[in-house]
Amino acid sequence: MLRPLCLLAFLVLPIAAQEPAPPSHFLPPAGSLTEPEINPAQSPTPSGADSLFKKENETPFAALPTYIKLGPKTNPKIDYIDGKLTVSFLGSVSIKGDNGVQAFADRAILDVDNQVVEMSGDISIYQDGLVYRGDSTTYTHKTKEFDTRNLRAGLSPILLQAGQFRSIQTPSGRAYVGEDSAITTHDVEKPHWWIRADRTTIFPGDRVVFKNLKLYAGDTPIFWLPYLSQPLDAQLGYHFVPGGRSNLGLFLKNTYGVMLGGERDPLTGANDSAWLLSQWHADIYSRRGIGTGLSLFDTRVDDADDFGWLKLYYLNDLDPSISRSGVNRDSVNEDRYRIEFKHRHELWESERATYSAEANLTWLSDSFYLEDFDASLFNTNPAPDNTLSLSRRNDQSLALLNARVRLNDFYQSDTRLPELSYDWIKQPLLNSSFLYESQTSLGIYREHLSDFFEDDLRTEATGLAAGDPRLSEIDRILDPRGFNRFHTYHEISRPFKLGLLNINPKVGGGFTQYSSVRGPSDSENRSLLYAGIESSLKLTKAYPEWIDKKWGLDGALHIIEPYASLSFLSTNELDTSFLGIDRLTASTRPRPLNVGRFTAIDDLANWSILRIGARNRIMTHRDGSTHDWLTVNTYLDVFFNDPEFDRDFSNLYNEIHWSPLPWFDLELETQIPLFSDSNFTEVVTSATIMPTDDLEVSLRHRYLNDHPILLDSNRVELEFYARLNEHWGIGTQHRWEIEDGTLELQSYSVYYDFDSWVGSVGIFHRDNSIEDEYGILLSFGLKEFPNLALPVRIGTE
């Protein structure tokens, strides 16, 4: 009787001093990691040991836990079972080792004589990123082993067979190796899919390597590969994109990404020092043929300041005359290719400046390549630029030696061979209260028409009669364009306060020289004289009583800032026959009033403009910080001398952003004519609304009427997504041009959550005026493991 009481005191007193184990409800639920119904081939268990983890170098659980910890409501009970002294723990129990292993259970029985702990009920064992789950396990004190045969294991987000994996230490960290093993990411009792392989090696956070891989849907094998190294980086590994588009036919795009360079680890075969990301492309198009390519990315410069890649692609086109838009094409060579090299790299850095080099080059086979094979780039940049540059930059200035070259003669473009520029950023002049800034450039500039446009003009001219006025117009267009230009501009400002008023007077002067002018004009010089003054004041008022959760208000601060800016520029007018290169482009937005920010140097002209307006902001509290609940900027220009359209007043501009609630955001830009000489109207609206967790609507509208250059437009874009239930969702996208009654784009998608997989399928139709375009959109991937997803996507872009 004395022995049990002494033993009870020995066990209970140290345990009572321990901190309670974490409550079981913080642990993931048991039964969520289940082995596949296909039984792996099991190796014979060595005599006298039940655990696969028998050898110390094969398991992260070889070390003995140092003590047992009990939850606050756990009651120990001493008893004899079959002549053995046992202690039962009814309640939360944990075993914690000094090697990082932790085991949790709902109850346990300690066999004191044999030093064995039988744990049961919601078993969880953690170490080195692995999680083992199950209903029961046995821990043997003498052999320092857990019996894991009936447990399931996971390495988030991968779930694996516990009885088949061992841990090894590599120079880059811990890896897990499984023989005849299986993994999944579907965390349910009966997973929908498994990947089984003769040998599986998991490098946490890096990649998974399979040898003799089979993909199972349930219990049925559906796919096989002899070898696959699937990185957890979405840019690596094998990806395929099947689908179809009307101008391409059915297609299957295949990409395999692998890292190159560096040296391999002899233990694991891993190459952790690889720096060159290579993506190999092999694409099949039923209407266009087979395309192959290689993309190389230098990951050593993959950051916000530097980048580097080389992309090569070639396709022998079966029918290059096929067009998305239906516009007839002249003879297009069947050899279609693209070579793109973009690289920016810091050469060296000193205490005074940073020196960098940059290349931005795109060489295309023809003007239709991007339209056919890279629609997303074609929509945003149909004529890519080609530049080389060296730069020196610091906090005060930027010096740039730039060369713009002409690689694609089917685009109209200009060359700068070379251009040297130096920008001095606005800063105090000689530590005074005056601020100084300047811009200076010197270069050789030429402009070239596209070759096919020149050929068309010459062909047209041969068919005209002598004396036709069109001939002189064609001759003027075909005249060579170019010049050498030196331009410099310097500005001094002196901001100060006068009571509540902020005032900033500015004066500036510049000089531009054009020499070696090609075309009908002669060399010209002109000077620039600029004067301006900016003024503003800021008024605030707090409204702490403005509290309304329905409108997202938690107190408010109203800031109003009236402002005015007067700008005067005087310069020599260039001859009307002069053909500039840095020219203004058609726009609905107001021009900048600062000469230093005016990039269209060749279109600088006399102006006298007064801009007056007011900014309004209403700020409130949200998520522990201030939030712009509403911002409104209203202004107009008064022209004493209009350099463009001989107006007296501009439109009234409004720039509004309203974000009252996290699920509602509205942006509105308007310009409305107030007087007869302000003769166009524009309204641009963008709104995103998510009234419930299952519904999101985006609306964009642009209305333009009576612009002197741009075409009238009344375009509406609507995007809609609704989650119908836990599995189904639908989405639509429409774009209408109301001006001519055209539904330009319509797209319909259906989304389905397969529990372990997610997928969507959709169709689209685009009205290109001459010929319609059709396509299909498809995506399919692992929900819990997006980096191992199959990025299947077919679409308009």
Side-chain angles (χ1 to χ4, degrees):
M1 183 67 183
L2 182 60
R3 180 180 176 185
L5 293 177
C6 292
L7 181 59
L8 176 60
F10 177 77
L11 290 173
V12 171
L13 291 177
I15 290 172
Q18 305 291 336
E19 295 180 1
S24 60
H25 65 269
F26 286 156
L27 303 176
S32 61
L33 301 113
T34 307
E35 296 196 23
E37 298 182 3
I38 305 171
N39 293 322
Q42 300 286 351
S43 301
T45 303
S47 175
D50 290 334
S51 174
L52 174 69
F53 297 133
K54 184 64 179 176
K55 298 179 181 179
E56 182 170 343
N57 65 346
E58 293 184 345
T59 173
F61 304 114
L64 173 67
T66 57
Y67 48 79
I68 298 176
K69 299 175 68 176
L70 304 183
K73 297 182 180 180
T74 301
N75 298 316
K77 178 183 179 182
I78 300 177
D79 202 352
Y80 277 94
I81 300 177
D82 297 331
K84 300 178 181 180
L85 177 63
T86 64
V87 181
S88 300
F89 304 99
L90 303 178
S92 176
V93 182
S94 66
I95 295 177
K96 182 177 182 180
D98 55 9
N99 59 350
V101 62
Q102 294 187 73
F104 299 89
D106 288 341
R107 49 193 173 273
I109 299 176
L110 170 64
D111 183 339
V112 178
D113 295 333
N114 295 313
Q115 300 183 22
V116 174
V117 181
E118 296 181 2
M119 307 179 73
S120 59
D122 197 4
I123 301 295
S124 299
I125 305 175
Y126 301 85
Q127 187 179 28
D128 296 326
L130 275 175
V131 182
Y132 283 73
R133 300 284 176 75
D135 297 325
S136 63
T137 186
T138 301
Y139 174 74
T140 305
H141 185 288
K142 294 180 180 179
T143 60
K144 304 178 181 181
E145 296 169 359
F146 278 97
D147 182 353
T148 61
R149 289 177 300 173
N150 296 319
L151 300 181
R152 287 81 60 195
L155 182 68
S156 179
I158 302 174
L159 315 179
L160 46 89
Q161 287 180 296
Q164 302 298 318
F165 280 83
R166 57 190 175 91
S167 173
I168 62 173
Q169 187 66 38
T170 71
S172 60
R174 187 172 296 277
Y176 300 93
V177 180
E179 309 293 341
D180 191 19
S181 56
I183 69 170
T184 185
T185 62
H186 191 199
D187 191 1
V188 296
E189 183 177 356
K190 293 184 178 181
H192 291 174
W193 69 275
W194 287 91
I195 294 179
R196 179 175 299 282
D198 291 347
R199 181 184 177 93
T200 303
T201 306
I202 302 174
F203 298 88
D206 186 10
R207 65 193 179 280
V208 184
V209 180
F210 304 95
K211 182 179 180 181
N212 195 21
L213 169 151
K214 293 180 181 179
L215 174 63
Y216 285 80
D219 299 334
T220 306
I222 59 174
F223 186 72
W224 173 85
L225 280 176
Y227 176 85
L228 176 64
S229 177
Q230 179 61 58
L232 306 186
D233 187 333
Q235 294 179 316
L236 299 177
Y238 174 63
H239 304 270
F240 61 91
V241 180
R245 251 174 45 185
S246 53
N247 66 316
L248 301 176
L250 298 176
F251 61 76
L252 177 64
K253 298 183 180 181
N254 300 275
T255 302
Y256 188 80
V258 62
M259 297 299 297
L260 303 176
E263 298 181 358
R264 291 193 173 277
D265 184 332
L267 177 61
T268 64
N271 187 357
D272 298 317
S273 60
W275 58 271
L276 186 62
L277 167 62
S278 65
Q279 292 181 333
W280 303 78
H281 308 279
D283 305 330
I284 303 173
Y285 303 91
S286 64
R287 301 190 67 185
R288 313 309 282 266
I290 298 176
T292 58
L294 171 64
S295 300
L296 301 174
F297 300 87
D298 187 348
T299 60
R300 297 172 300 181
V301 295
D302 187 16
D303 56 41
D305 294 325
D306 296 336
F307 55 83
W309 65 78
L310 172 65
K311 297 180 180 180
L312 310 171
Y313 195 84
Y314 171 80
L315 179 140
N316 186 263
D317 200 338
L318 298 178
D319 190 354
S321 65
I322 300 175
S323 169
R324 290 177 58 198
S325 61
V327 177
N328 291 330
R329 297 179 176 179
D330 294 331
S331 177
V332 179
N333 194 286
E334 64 182 12
D335 294 319
R336 316 289 300 278
Y337 56 82
R338 172 185 180 183
I339 300 175
E340 179 180 297
F341 176 63
K342 295 191 177 184
H343 191 72
R344 182 170 62 202
H345 184 61
E346 182 180 301
L347 299 177
W348 70 87
E349 183 176 2
S350 67
E351 293 182 358
R352 302 184 62 181
T354 300
Y355 298 84
S356 303
E358 181 174 342
N360 184 0
L361 303 172
T362 302
W363 186 19
L364 302 174
S365 59
D366 54 81
S367 59
F368 304 106
Y369 176 90
L370 295 179
E371 178 184 347
D372 290 343
F373 302 107
D374 195 343
S376 59
L377 180 60
F378 176 76
N379 289 340
T380 57
N381 187 16
D385 208 353
N386 290 281
T387 59
L388 298 168
S389 64
L390 295 173
S391 65
R392 177 192 183 274
R393 69 181 185 274
N394 55 29
D395 293 338
Q396 293 80 36
S397 64
L398 172 64
L400 189 66
L401 176 60
N402 181 60
R404 178 178 292 173
V405 298
R406 189 185 188 216
L407 296 182
N408 306 305
D409 56 13
F410 39 78
Y411 294 138
Q412 178 173 335
S413 62
D414 64 82
T415 60
R416 300 165 188 246
L417 297 171
E419 180 185 47
L420 177 63
S421 63
Y422 183 78
D423 289 355
W424 186 263
I425 301 169
K426 182 184 290 187
Q427 56 195 285
L429 178 63
L430 301 177
N431 295 321
S432 69
S433 58
F434 290 89
L435 302 179
Y436 169 76
E437 63 176 308
S438 67
Q439 299 85 36
T440 301
S441 62
L442 171 65
I444 302 173
Y445 306 86
R446 301 290 184 265
E447 186 171 41
H448 306 270
L449 300 176
S450 62
D451 284 0
F452 73 87
F453 184 47
E454 289 186 353
D455 293 341
D456 289 345
L457 289 175
R458 291 190 174 96
T459 301
E460 181 185 355
T462 59
L464 296 176
D468 192 313
R470 173 63 175 163
L471 284 174
S472 59
E473 183 180 353
I474 292 177
D475 289 341
R476 184 178 182 277
I477 297 174
L478 292 175
D479 277 339
R481 306 181 183 189
F483 45 75
N484 302 344
R485 186 184 69 202
F486 170 75
H487 173 76
T488 184
Y489 176 75
H490 306 262
E491 183 177 295
I492 295 177
S493 59
R494 172 52 167 92
F496 63 92
K497 288 183 69 71
L498 184 62
L500 297 176
L501 198 62
N502 300 300
I503 301 177
N504 184 20
K506 299 182 288 185
V507 293
F511 174 77
T512 306
Q513 180 186 55
Y514 298 93
S515 60
S516 302
V517 178
R518 306 174 69 188
S521 302
D522 297 324
S523 297
E524 295 198 37
N525 298 329
R526 65 171 176 171
S527 59
L528 304 169
L529 179 62
Y530 167 77
I533 184 169
E534 298 173 349
S535 63
S536 66
L537 64 89
K538 183 181 293 186
L539 305 172
T540 64
K541 184 175 182 180
Y543 297 91
E545 70 276 9
W546 286 14
I547 299 177
D548 191 333
K549 293 183 178 179
K550 184 168 58 177
W551 291 103
L553 284 171
D554 183 11
L557 177 66
H558 181 204
I559 303 173
I560 181 170
E561 185 179 1
Y563 62 89
S565 178
L566 178 63
S567 177
F568 168 83
L569 175 66
S570 176
T571 183
N572 309 69
E573 297 288 347
L574 297 175
D575 189 271
T576 55
S577 63
F578 182 82
L579 302 175
I581 291 178
D582 288 325
R583 302 183 298 268
L584 289 171
T585 57
S587 173
T588 62
R589 307 306 301 162
R591 305 297 184 183
L593 299 184
N594 295 327
V595 176
R597 302 292 176 263
F598 203 92
T599 58
I601 296 173
D602 300 329
D603 270 352
L604 282 168
N606 295 328
W607 75 53
S608 298
I609 305 172
L610 172 64
R611 180 169 295 169
I612 54 176
R615 299 182 184 93
N616 281 271
R617 297 172 63 192
I618 296 179
M619 306 175 67
T620 188
H621 297 287
R622 180 176 297 177
D623 299 328
S625 62
T626 57
H627 170 72
D628 285 337
W629 191 83
L630 174 67
T631 61
V632 180
N633 185 18
T634 303
Y635 59 97
L636 70 100
D637 290 342
V638 180
F639 297 102
F640 306 106
N641 185 0
D642 183 4
E644 291 188 79
F645 303 118
D646 195 26
R647 296 164 294 177
D648 293 324
F649 298 93
S650 73
N651 290 330
L652 178 66
Y653 298 95
N654 280 286
E655 300 168 355
I656 302 171
H657 183 203
W658 186 34
S659 180
L661 298 163
W663 52 267
F664 180 83
D665 190 87
L666 173 67
E667 292 187 12
L668 179 64
E669 292 183 359
T670 70
Q671 47 181 308
I672 302 170
L674 298 181
F675 306 97
S676 59
D677 58 352
S678 304
N679 57 1
F680 76 93
T681 303
E682 183 183 34
V683 179
V684 179
T685 307
S686 176
T688 301
I689 305 172
M690 193 173 179
T692 70
D693 292 340
D694 301 325
L695 178 64
E696 181 175 356
V697 180
S698 296
L699 175 66
R700 291 178 292 275
H701 174 243
R702 181 175 187 255
Y703 174 79
L704 179 64
N705 186 53
D706 290 336
H707 191 276
I709 299 176
L710 301 177
L711 296 177
D712 291 349
S713 177
N714 189 3
R715 175 176 293 181
V716 177
E717 298 183 33
L718 177 64
E719 294 185 16
F720 170 87
Y721 174 78
R723 187 175 66 175
L724 304 179
N725 52 42
E726 293 183 356
H727 295 285
W728 289 97
I730 57 174
T732 64
Q733 181 182 3
H734 292 84
R735 185 167 67 232
W736 293 274
E737 178 51 69
I738 301 176
E739 186 70 23
D740 57 14
T742 303
L743 180 57
E744 296 181 339
L745 174 67
Q746 49 184 322
S747 172
Y748 306 92
S749 301
V750 177
Y751 304 87
Y752 186 75
D753 186 339
F754 295 90
D755 200 9
S756 58
W757 302 82
V758 290
S760 69
V761 61
I763 57 174
F764 78 89
H765 166 244
R766 171 178 280 141
D767 187 335
N768 293 321
S769 298
I770 299 176
E771 182 174 325
D772 290 354
E773 182 182 3
Y774 299 90
I776 182 173
L777 302 109
L778 173 67
S779 66
F780 191 58
L782 291 169
K783 182 173 67 173
E784 300 297 337
F785 208 167
N787 285 341
L788 277 180
L790 304 176
V792 184
R793 178 171 57 89
I794 309 111
T796 59
E797 313 304 340

